[in-house]
Structures are given as structure tokens and as C-alpha cells.
Amino acid sequence: MSHKRIPKRKAAIAAGGVVALGAAAMLLPNANASQDGAADDATPRTLKATDASDLAARLAASLGDALAGSYYDSARQQLVVNVVSGDDNVVAQAKKAGATVRRVDNSTAELKSAARTLKARATIPGTSWAVDPRTNKVVVTADSTVTGARWDRLQSTVQSLGSGMATLKKSAGTFKTFVSGGDAIFAQAQGGTVRCSLGFNVTASDGSPAFLTAGHCGVAAKQWADSQNGQPIATVDQATFPGNDFSLVKYDDPNTRAPSDVNVGNGQAVQITRAADATVGETVFRMGSTTGLHNGTVTGLDATVNFQSETDPNGVDTVNGLIQTNVCAEPGDSGGSLFTQDGGAVGLTSGGSGDCTQGGETFFQPVTAALQATGATLGAGNGNGAGDGAGQQGAGDQGAGAQGGGDQQAGGDQSGAGSATAPGDPSGTGDGSGAADGSGTADGSGMADGSGMADGSGTAQGH
């Protein structure tokens, strides 16, 4: 009976253990742990980011559109919820739950209406938009390809929404998908070898071992190997792109041991125990086969990104419902793991602009939506997994972007987001800002499997 593990050289970790990450805002002291309850209904609770995310989800479910978004204030370690003026009952409920309440002008319905207007009038390659609960506005971003008449059209659309509803900014890079994840995976496609990254191991609905990666990887090629010239070990079962950006890939050997962890380099791993929804303001980590371990901050939710189609020069591949961050990424990182320090699986690397030198914006497919759409559960494919099932949102579809041509640009607005130091290193600012020291960084070289396959060189195309 085969018990192959992916990656093969990953060191075993203690059951239930989580590797300490020496990047920013990790290892919060006990004094910062969640309080069981607030002594005063009007006193905000001190929360860890994970608990703030859980509270945000509960309030969103109970109060609905009466809330106009929420975010995590990492400096005060509090959940801030936006409430449109006029509903004192909603304010009272949010305060009683332990949140800080902020009165704002734009309701959820108004912000969603603005996003629909942008979709109808400004679906232009190289653009994105997402609600920023910290400003209570829709933030619209245009990459370097949006010029001339396209820029004029985008600018006029944003202006028509009103200055209090949306803001427009420019990105120096180009929005593209970029294949990769924690460990490198390879496939043969038209135009050469495609390289992506494995996101998270899961159990498919039929009980077989599988993993999640980016949808644009799954539509580029059907069979995937764990080495550049190796034999395929897994076959795409479901792939969705554009619309959403996720793939479910089943291991060909049903006895494959697929551990529920993320390889973060240097023989260390972070055990993944559950799927987690992202919260604006929280610190997250990304592992990719090209650039290794990096951290940063969630800056927006339910983002829409309009990638230039790789199959139609005049087309647009639009992906909705993404997590926006300032964590860097580069070609080869697509599909890779976005996770929290305490073992929450948050996202799959989709695309963005910039790189790990300049910075940029980076977008991630929510894991909860991918699990719900595929019917998979988080955990090892041999029955030893955590068993955490799907989350909330529905899935869309994922288009085809990864095949053919040259290397794709990475995403990630890295301003303020440095590279994460190697696991186990206790250094780091601990301020929750996503700023990492970068010294002793996990640079991704050899992280795919220790054989140098993660260096991005050679014939493999990074996506």
C-alpha cells in the first residue's frame, strides 16, 4: 500500500502543533487573548484576529445589511463595525456583542449598488474594485495598462458615483494571474511547462485525497506532477475560472497521505485546522513556491478583478468575491496558501500586480467558497484530516488563463508588507501591521521540494 506524502521531504510535526511564525504580529501574549465577555455592554472586547473574524460573521448573520462592513483594529485589538446612522437598536446589539461601533454614511446596499454600476460601465482589463470598510467607500484600482479612453471611462464612472462613495487609484504593475502555492506543482500545456503552487490538501466529497489550487491552473492543464519532469500524480476534478478562481485536483493514488498543513520551508510546517473567513485588517501569511513565506494585511473583501484574457486579446477574465491584500507574490505563486498563524486556511493565490520588491495588490480566492462549491472538506485525504467543511459564499466560475505564453506577473501591493521571517524565528514587530523584518527571510529557493525547482528558472512558466 502506498503512503506517499506531498511534499516528500516535509518534516513531521507534532500532532495538533502549530509552528511559530517569526513574522509581524504573531504570538500574541496571553493578555491579548479574547475576553469571555465584556463587563460593560459599551466596552469593546479585546480580541485576537481569529475571534474578531468569528464575531464579525455572527454580527453579519444576525444584523444583515444594517451593518455596513467591519474591520479588525490590530493596534487596539478590537472589531470595528460600521452602522448607518439612525438605528440605535443595531448599535446597542453590536456594542453588547463587544464590538466598537462607528457611524458611517454609506450603507451596504449603497456600496453594492456602486459595485454594480462599476461592473456595468467599467469592466475594463486591468481594473479592480473592493469595499474598504475602513473608509466606508469602494476603492477602485487601475493598473498600468489602463490609459487613454479606458482611463477616461473609468474615471468618469467613479466620479458619477460621488466623492463620498468611491475613490480611484493607480497601480504601477499589471494585473495578471500567477500560478503557485506552498509546494510547486507542474503540468504540461500548450506552450510548455506550467508551474503553480499547491494550496491546501482536502478530502473530496467521495472521500478521496485531493488538493485545492487556483482555477486558472486547473483550466490550463488536466494532470499535475510534483516535479518539473516527473510523472503526473494528480488529475483535475473541477476547475472554475473566470468568475471564481479555484480547482479541486484529486491524487491519482487513493492511498496518498495528504497532510493538512502548509510547508513553510526549512523543514517546518503549519498545521491547518479549519477554513477561515478573512477580516479586513488582520495579518495573514502567504506561502508560494517562487517567493516562499510572506505576510501582510487584508485590505478588502468581495473584490472584483478584471484580468486581461490570455485566450482572447480583446477579452476580459473577471473574477468576483476575492480577498484583497498587500501580501506580495510573483510568477509561480498562483494557487498557493493564504493562512493565519493559528492554522486557518483563508485563501488561494489568484493574481495581482507588482512583485516582492516593488509591492502591489494581490487577490485570493476564499477557501470557504471553494470548499462549498466543490463539496470538499479541509483535511487529509486518508481520513486523518481536520474535517472542517465548507464556509459561506458560493462559487463562481474560473476561466482559463494559465496556458501558453510567457511568465505571468505576480501580484501583491507590498507597501508595508515585508517578507516573513523563517518559521520558528521569534523576531518580528508584533504590531499587526503586516510589516515584517525580512531578515532571515524564507526566500522560496528550493522550497518546492528542496531540489531547486522553486526558482522560477528554466522552461516552467510561472502563473
Side-chain angles (χ1 to χ4, degrees):
M1 180 178 292
S2 170
H3 292 288
K4 178 167 46 182
R5 291 189 61 180
I6 305 299
K8 289 172 265 189
R9 290 175 310 287
K10 187 181 300 178
I13 59 176
V18 176
V19 173
L21 302 178
M26 297 301 99
L27 303 175
L28 295 175
N30 292 337
N32 293 338
S34 302
Q35 299 173 355
D36 291 335
D40 184 332
D41 287 350
T43 302
R45 295 168 59 194
T46 300
L47 298 164
K48 292 185 292 186
T50 302
D51 297 321
S53 178
D54 292 341
L55 177 57
R58 291 197 302 272
L59 287 173
S62 62
L63 301 178
D65 286 350
L67 294 185
S70 63
Y71 63 94
Y72 182 59
D73 184 335
S74 59
R76 293 183 173 85
Q77 295 171 10
Q78 296 173 355
L79 177 70
V80 181
V81 297
N82 295 331
V83 176
V84 177
S85 299
D87 196 334
D88 292 336
N89 181 51
V90 170
V91 171
Q93 290 185 64
K95 285 185 175 180
K96 185 174 182 179
T100 297
V101 176
R102 188 177 69 145
R103 296 182 185 271
V104 296
D105 294 328
N106 298 322
S107 68
T108 296
E110 290 169 329
L111 293 168
K112 287 181 177 179
S113 176
R116 287 194 296 269
T117 299
L118 288 163
K119 180 179 180 180
R121 301 181 188 175
T123 298
I124 299 167
T127 61
S128 72
W129 49 83
V131 173
D132 182 358
R134 292 167 297 188
T135 62
N136 188 229
K137 294 181 180 181
V138 178
V139 177
V140 183
T141 305
D143 74 11
S144 59
T145 67
V146 182
T147 59
R150 287 183 170 183
W151 170 258
D152 293 341
R153 178 174 139 205
L154 180 64
Q155 190 174 46
S156 64
T157 303
V158 171
Q159 289 174 346
S160 72
L161 300 174
S163 59
M165 184 62 64
T167 58
L168 176 60
K169 67 175 186 176
K170 266 282 199 180
S171 176
T174 302
F175 289 153
K176 292 184 178 179
T177 52
F178 38 91
V179 174
S180 239
D183 291 302
I185 52 176
F186 300 86
Q188 300 301 315
Q190 182 180 5
T193 301
V194 175
R195 190 183 82 207
C196 288
S197 295
L198 188 152
F200 299 98
N201 283 316
V202 296
T203 301
S205 59
D206 63 0
S208 60
F211 63 83
L212 295 174
T213 189
H216 63 267
C217 300
V219 299
K222 189 75 173 175
Q223 293 185 303
W224 290 84
D226 60 349
S227 62
Q228 187 166 330
N229 298 311
Q231 293 298 309
I233 63 166
T235 303
V236 174
D237 180 70
Q238 301 177 47
T240 306
F241 181 92
N244 293 118
D245 196 0
F246 61 83
S247 293
L248 177 69
V249 188
K250 291 184 178 180
Y251 289 105
D252 296 334
D253 181 352
N255 295 312
T256 297
R257 292 187 61 196
S260 185
D261 54 26
V262 174
N263 178 14
V264 292
N266 296 330
Q268 295 181 329
V270 172
Q271 185 169 357
I272 299 300
T273 60
R274 70 195 186 286
D277 290 314
T279 301
V280 171
E282 74 173 322
T283 297
V284 286
F285 289 84
R286 179 197 56 75
M287 187 64 194
S289 64
T290 299
T291 57
L293 182 67
H294 286 264
N295 75 298
T297 304
V298 176
T299 59
L301 300 176
D302 198 22
T304 294
V305 185
N306 298 300
F307 296 113
Q308 173 67 58
S309 172
E310 296 186 17
T311 57
D312 178 2
N314 299 314
V316 182
D317 287 338
T318 299
V319 185
N320 304 304
L322 299 180
I323 301 163
Q324 183 169 341
T325 79
N326 61 9
V327 186
C328 74
E330 295 187 5
D333 286 333
S334 281
S337 324
L338 185 73
F339 59 99
T340 61
Q341 183 257 350
D342 60 353
V346 176
L348 306 167
T349 307
S350 176
S353 67
D355 55 32
C356 287
T357 299
Q358 305 175 45
E361 295 79 24
T362 312
F363 302 92
F364 298 83
Q365 166 69 48
V367 166
T368 52
L371 291 173
Q372 186 178 51
T374 60
T377 53
L378 193 64
N382 62 359
N384 296 328
D388 194 346
Q392 8 259 51
Q393 308 141 253
D397 69 24
Q398 299 303 353
Q403 61 217 33
D407 289 351
Q408 295 179 319
Q409 290 288 332
D413 181 341
Q414 294 321 5
S415 52
S419 56
T421 58
D425 181 348
S427 62
T429 63
D431 63 357
S433 64
D437 174 4
S439 59
T441 58
D443 63 0
S445 58
M447 281 190 184
D449 64 357
S451 63
M453 287 185 290
D455 64 359
S457 63
T459 60
Q461 302 167 15
H463 289 76

